Amino acid sequence: MNPMPSTRTDPLHYLSVELDTLKEQGLFRQLRTLEGEQKAQATFDGRSVVNLSSNNYLGLTTHPRLRERALNAVRELGVGSGSVRTIAGTMALHLELERRLADFKHTEAVVVFQSGFAANAGTVAAILGKDDVIVSDELNHASIIDGCRLSRAAIRVFPHKDVEAARAILKELPASQRKLLITDGVFSMDGDVGALPGLCDLAEEFGAVMMVDDAHASGVFGRNGRGTVDHFSLHGRVDIQVGTLSKAVGALGGYVAGSRALIQFLQHRGRPFLFSTSHPPAVAAACLAALDVLIEEPQLIDRLWENTRFFKSGLQALGFNTGTSESPITPVIAGEAPLAMRLSDRLFEEGVFAQGIGFPTVPRGKARVRTIVTATHTRQELQFALDVFAKVGRELGIIFREH
Ligand SMILES: *Cc1c(COP(=O)(O)O)cnc(C)c1O
């Protein structure tokens, strides 16, 4: 039987109109498809490329020790946890991971969420309410912004890393006001490091809760990858540290490290913890193995930083605008979105994958390709990438100098 022809107009038609606008602005992207493993030289869309777009900083996505632990967990415990943490979904592996992370971070306790996004959004939304104020760096991650909105607290944004501007905001607030001061540890689009020491001083001066999102610093900054709080020796001065298990740690998840009271509160009020199923055992097992690797194979982090210095200085020597990066994330700022997307496409055709990023992820006029090196890139792979950047950069008129 044929369905009745419908005379109803599509109520979602406006989405197609918006997509057409994206296409006109050069902001419409097809998803690239990874074929095979996530690694330094990888195959996307059928092409083998030097992969400068992954957060797999230490190569742990394919590390034999993580693979083995995850496989054992699948064999012994199956593929799913079957419940949220607060009902039947807390396994011994989840608790072991939280204990190990708390030791690693030198905090009283840790709670793991399904993702870094859930950790940020769930935590900020849980600990603040409509009578409170959040003082937030303008470039903080979307998951922080969403958490702020969900909390219904007032949101006061200060210009990027501007401690004096944050102070001016805090000074205007009544002493009795509950306040959260929040920054990324490493900013994901620029690769620069948050103004942690100055913000910690402010938090103490004005009695604010201090929170740092160390997603891109986990496994990258600090001793054995303990993050920016360790990097700046700020132990005991940051009330809430968020880390991710999805980037350098190589698997999936996010966590909050802090006092026992904070963690117990989040176990009762963190909505992703309460209302979304916990990690499969293989994920917790892989993260436990990753912690062993961070402790026992610190040479991976050394190699990450050697590669970072080599590649960043190479891009700068070619004359590219790499912004203010201080981390393995190095943006190559092209200007308008169509040029950044063209740069990314041409790099890809020549064998280098660096994702183009435009508005609204970064401000208009600051569209870029973002490069991320890892510990597992070889010198030859990075030199090849620099040679391709030089060729394509000149071709598109982004750099001019001869070498
Ligand atoms: C990636 C990222 C997150 C989200 O982490 P996931 O584990 O991928 O959900 C949070 N904050 C920042 C700054 C990030 O870069």
Side-chain angles (χ1 to χ4, degrees):
M1 198 171 69
N2 288 328
M4 293 282 288
S6 173
T7 53
R8 180 171 170 265
T9 55
D10 178 6
L12 288 176
H13 175 71
Y14 68 101
L15 300 182
S16 311
V17 175
E18 291 206 14
L19 287 171
D20 288 342
T21 309
L22 287 183
K23 285 172 189 159
E24 281 159 24
Q25 294 170 342
L27 291 170
F28 185 85
R29 304 301 287 168
Q30 299 287 349
L31 303 177
R32 293 231 185 262
T33 309
L34 172 63
E35 291 149 27
E37 295 179 349
Q38 179 69 271
K39 53 188 185 180
Q41 178 92 32
T43 302
F44 287 88
D45 295 344
R47 184 181 293 268
S48 176
V49 289
V50 175
N51 181 5
L52 298 176
S53 291
S54 167
N55 302 314
N56 181 25
Y57 288 106
L58 303 175
L60 299 196
T61 58
T62 55
H63 193 291
R65 292 173 73 177
L66 278 74
R67 249 195 240 262
E68 190 58 30
R69 285 284 280 279
L71 282 169
N72 286 339
V74 170
R75 288 194 195 98
E76 289 166 20
L77 301 166
V79 296
S81 77
S83 172
V84 299
R85 285 286 302 274
T86 49
I87 299 181
T90 294
M91 303 174 107
L93 276 177
H94 295 134
L95 296 177
E96 187 185 348
L97 176 59
E98 289 172 340
R99 268 196 306 274
R100 287 284 308 281
L101 282 168
D103 285 349
F104 183 67
K105 298 289 278 190
H106 304 312
T107 60
E108 280 180 12
V110 156
V111 58
V112 170
F113 286 82
Q114 297 83 354
S115 68
F117 196 107
N120 271 327
T123 298
V124 175
I127 64 168
L128 296 170
K130 64 176 173 37
D131 297 328
D132 306 327
V133 177
I134 298 165
V135 182
S136 176
D137 188 290
E138 68 178 334
L139 295 188
N140 277 344
H141 191 258
S143 55
I144 293 177
I145 295 168
D146 285 10
C148 293
R149 290 176 182 159
L150 286 167
S151 76
R152 295 181 296 149
I155 304 164
R156 304 288 306 275
V157 172
F158 60 89
H160 186 46
K161 293 178 67 168
D162 189 339
V163 175
E164 281 316 303
R167 165 190 292 278
I169 294 170
L170 286 162
K171 248 172 86 175
E172 297 300 311
L173 300 173
S176 60
Q177 177 90 58
R178 189 172 295 152
K179 320 163 184 83
L180 174 73
L181 188 51
I182 186 165
T183 183
D184 280 5
V186 173
F187 289 86
S188 53
M189 293 301 141
D190 293 272
D192 55 345
V193 176
L196 269 67
L199 294 175
C200 281
D201 290 345
L202 280 188
E204 282 155 18
E205 184 180 344
F206 293 97
V209 176
M210 181 71 205
M211 176 166 170
V212 173
D213 170 13
D214 251 349
H216 277 286
S218 306
V220 175
F221 278 81
R223 290 167 304 143
N224 302 89
R226 283 179 172 80
T228 53
V229 172
D230 189 81
H231 172 77
F232 285 115
S233 297
L234 296 170
H235 291 287
R237 300 183 64 194
V238 174
D239 304 291
I240 306 175
Q241 295 183 57
V242 169
T244 185
L245 305 166
S246 323
K247 290 175 175 148
V249 174
L252 176 68
Y255 60 91
V256 180
S259 70
R260 194 167 314 282
L262 169 70
I263 300 316
Q264 288 178 346
F265 182 84
L266 292 173
Q267 290 174 345
H268 289 82
R269 289 288 182 272
R271 290 172 71 83
F273 187 86
L274 293 163
F275 295 110
S276 183
T277 297
S278 55
H279 279 156
V283 171
C287 293
L288 280 163
L291 281 172
D292 291 340
V293 171
L294 289 178
I295 304 288
E296 293 165 26
E297 300 180 36
Q299 65 275 16
L300 285 174
I301 300 177
D302 296 340
R303 210 171 308 142
L304 169 65
W305 282 99
E306 284 163 23
N307 281 346
T308 295
R309 284 186 284 274
F310 175 77
F311 192 67
K312 201 186 296 291
S313 61
L315 284 174
Q316 287 163 352
L318 288 170
F320 285 106
N321 175 4
T322 60
T324 52
S325 167
E326 306 164 70
S327 73
I329 300 172
T330 307
V332 173
I333 298 168
E336 295 310 317
L339 182 58
M341 299 309 167
R342 180 95 191 102
L343 174 60
S344 178
D345 288 343
R346 282 290 298 126
L347 289 168
F348 191 80
E349 287 164 8
E350 298 287 336
V352 174
F353 180 22
Q355 184 66 54
I357 296 169
F359 183 82
T361 310
V362 297
R364 291 187 200 279
K366 295 231 170 153
R368 63 198 61 189
V369 302
R370 183 179 65 161
T371 68
I372 300 179
V373 300
T374 73
T376 53
H377 284 96
T378 63
R379 252 327 126 79
Q380 291 88 322
E381 284 163 350
L382 294 180
Q383 187 59 55
F384 172 81
L386 287 172
D387 293 343
V388 169
F389 261 98
K391 173 179 172 188
V392 174
R394 289 196 194 100
E395 173 190 306
L396 297 179
I398 298 168
I399 50 169
F400 305 99
R401 273 185 261 160
E402 282 304 322
H403 288 266

